Amino acid sequence: MNAPNDERWLERARALLDDSADNLDAATLSRLNRARQAALAARRKGPGRWAWGAAFAGAAAAVFAVAIALHRQGLPPASTPAASLQPADIDVLTSDDDLDLADNLDFYAWLEKQPAGGPSG
Amino acid sequence: MDAEISLMAVFDESRRAVGAGEESRPLDMFLRGVERRALRMAELATGSRDEALDLVQDAMFGFVRHYGGHDGAEWPPLFWRVLDSRLNDWHRRQKVRGRWSFRPDDKNTDEDPIALAPDAREPGPLARMADGEASVALEAALRGLPLRQRQAFLLRIWEGLDVAATAVAMRCSEGSVKTHLSRALANLRRALEAHR
C-alpha cells in the first residue's frame, strides 16, 4: 500500500501527532475529563423518570389484558351447555319419567324378548 | 420510621451508584485512552479547540448511549464511527452556512501518478525538518486535506485501525478507504514537499 520510504516519514508523522495529543494543556484535559464523566453519568442514570413511568404503565396494561383474557378463558363459553342441548334432551331432563329405564336398559331388552307367559324353565 | 426508610433508600441508591461505577470502569478506561486523539482529530477538522471539545463530548455521549453495552473489542471502530459522523455533520453545517472555504476535491482526477510517485531514495518530506517546524507543516498539510482523506489517514496511519475497521468507522467500502488513503498520502507528500 505505502511506498517503501513512506514508512519513515509516516513514523515521524505519527510521533508528531502523538506529541500533540500528549501535550494538551491542563484546561483542555480538565474539559475532556468532565465530558467523559458526564457521558458515563448519563449512562449510569439510565432512562429518565418519565421512561420508568411509561414502562410501569405499559406493564400494568399488559397485566390487566392478560388477567381479562385468563378470566374469560376460565368462564364457560356462552354457547354451552344450554345452546347445545337438543329438544329431545330437554324433554328427557324435564320429563317426570323414571330414569330407571335408562339405567337398566339391558334388563328391559332381555325382558322384551321373553314369551308373554313368562320365562320358561 | 420514615427516617429509617429514607436512610435505607439513600443507602440503596449509593450502593447502586457504586455498582454502576464498577460496571462503567472499562468504558471509562477506553474513553480515557482515545479522548486526546479524538480531540486532535476534531481539532484538525474544525480548526477550533472549542468546537472540537463540543464534538468530542457529543461523540462520547452518543457512543456511550448507543454502543456502551457492546463488547469492548468492538468499541474502537464504533467510537470513531460516532466521531466521524459528528465531524461529517459539522462539515455539512459549515457548508450550509457558507463558511466553507475551498479545499482540494476528493474526486480530482488530473493527478499525474508518475509525478506523484515517491522517489524511493528520498527519506520523506518530514525528514529534514526540526520537530517544531515539522509539526506546524504536518498540521497545515492535514488541515488542507478534504475531510474523508484526512479521516482515512488519521484512522489508518495514526489510530492504527485496519482497512475493515476504518471502513466501519467511515461508513464506506474498504475500496473507498484505500482510495482516500492513497490520495491523502499523495496530497500530504506534495504539501510537505512544498513546505520545505
Side-chain angles (χ1 to χ4, degrees), chain B residues 46-183:
Chain B
T46 61
S48 155
R49 178 152 294 183
D50 281 339
E51 298 245 31
L53 277 163
D54 287 347
L55 287 171
V56 170
Q57 174 162 355
D58 200 24
M60 283 179 173
F61 271 88
F63 169 73
V64 167
R65 186 168 60 245
H66 295 296
Y67 302 117
H70 281 231
D71 189 89
E74 299 172 15
W75 285 344
L78 293 174
F79 174 76
W80 296 115
R81 181 187 178 100
V82 175
L83 181 63
D84 187 71
S85 171
R86 299 297 187 275
L87 295 178
N88 276 306
D89 290 346
W90 185 88
H91 269 245
R92 269 196 289 272
R93 285 199 300 273
Q94 297 307 302
K95 274 186 180 177
V96 170
R97 288 175 193 167
R99 282 198 268 141
W100 182 243
S101 59
F102 176 77
R103 287 173 189 261
D105 189 352
D106 262 3
K107 294 188 174 65
N108 51 351
T109 54
D110 56 349
E111 295 167 341
D112 176 2
I114 295 173
L116 291 175
D119 181 348
R121 293 165 301 178
E122 258 296 312
L126 291 169
R128 296 191 188 89
M129 292 185 214
D131 274 357
E133 186 193 1
S135 183
V136 170
L138 179 63
E139 179 117 356
L142 282 170
R143 283 191 177 163
L145 289 179
L147 176 66
R148 306 298 281 163
Q149 288 184 23
R150 183 172 48 246
Q151 287 300 100
F153 176 85
L154 293 173
L155 292 171
R156 285 281 289 119
I157 303 298
W158 190 25
E159 195 54 33
L161 298 186
D162 62 21
V163 175
T166 307
V168 169
M170 293 179 65
R171 297 169 196 257
C172 65
S173 68
E174 293 184 19
S176 295
V177 169
K178 290 175 185 170
T179 303
H180 288 312
L181 180 59
S182 166
R183 288 179 177 164

Side-chain angles (χ1 to χ4, degrees), chain A residues 19-120:
Chain A
D19 278 350
S20 73
D22 290 342
N23 295 317
L24 293 170
D25 60 274
T28 301
L29 291 177
S30 170
R31 284 182 68 183
L32 275 177
N33 185 47
R34 282 203 302 274
R36 173 166 31 84
Q37 295 303 331
L40 293 172
R43 180 178 193 242
R44 281 195 286 269
K45 273 185 194 166
R49 195 171 277 189
W50 64 270
W52 286 114
F56 179 76
V63 167
F64 184 69
V66 168
I68 294 282
L70 289 175
H71 179 67
R72 283 193 167 186
Q73 219 167 25
L75 286 176
S79 60
T80 57
S84 63
L85 285 176
Q86 300 300 311
D89 299 329
I90 294 173
D91 286 347
V92 169
L93 288 171
T94 56
S95 72
D96 294 331
D97 293 345
D98 192 351
L99 291 178
D100 181 59
L101 172 68
D103 289 341
N104 300 296
L105 203 56
D106 293 341
F107 168 73
Y108 288 111
W110 172 82
L111 188 63
E112 196 178 16
K113 286 176 188 170
Q114 300 311 306
S120 61

Side-chain angles (χ1 to χ4, degrees), chain A residues 7 9-19, chain B residues 157-158:
Chain A
E7 274 311 315
W9 75 269
L10 289 180
E11 192 56 46
R12 180 110 193 262
R14 269 192 288 268
L16 291 169
L17 287 167
D18 282 342
D19 278 350
Chain B
I157 303 298
W158 190 25

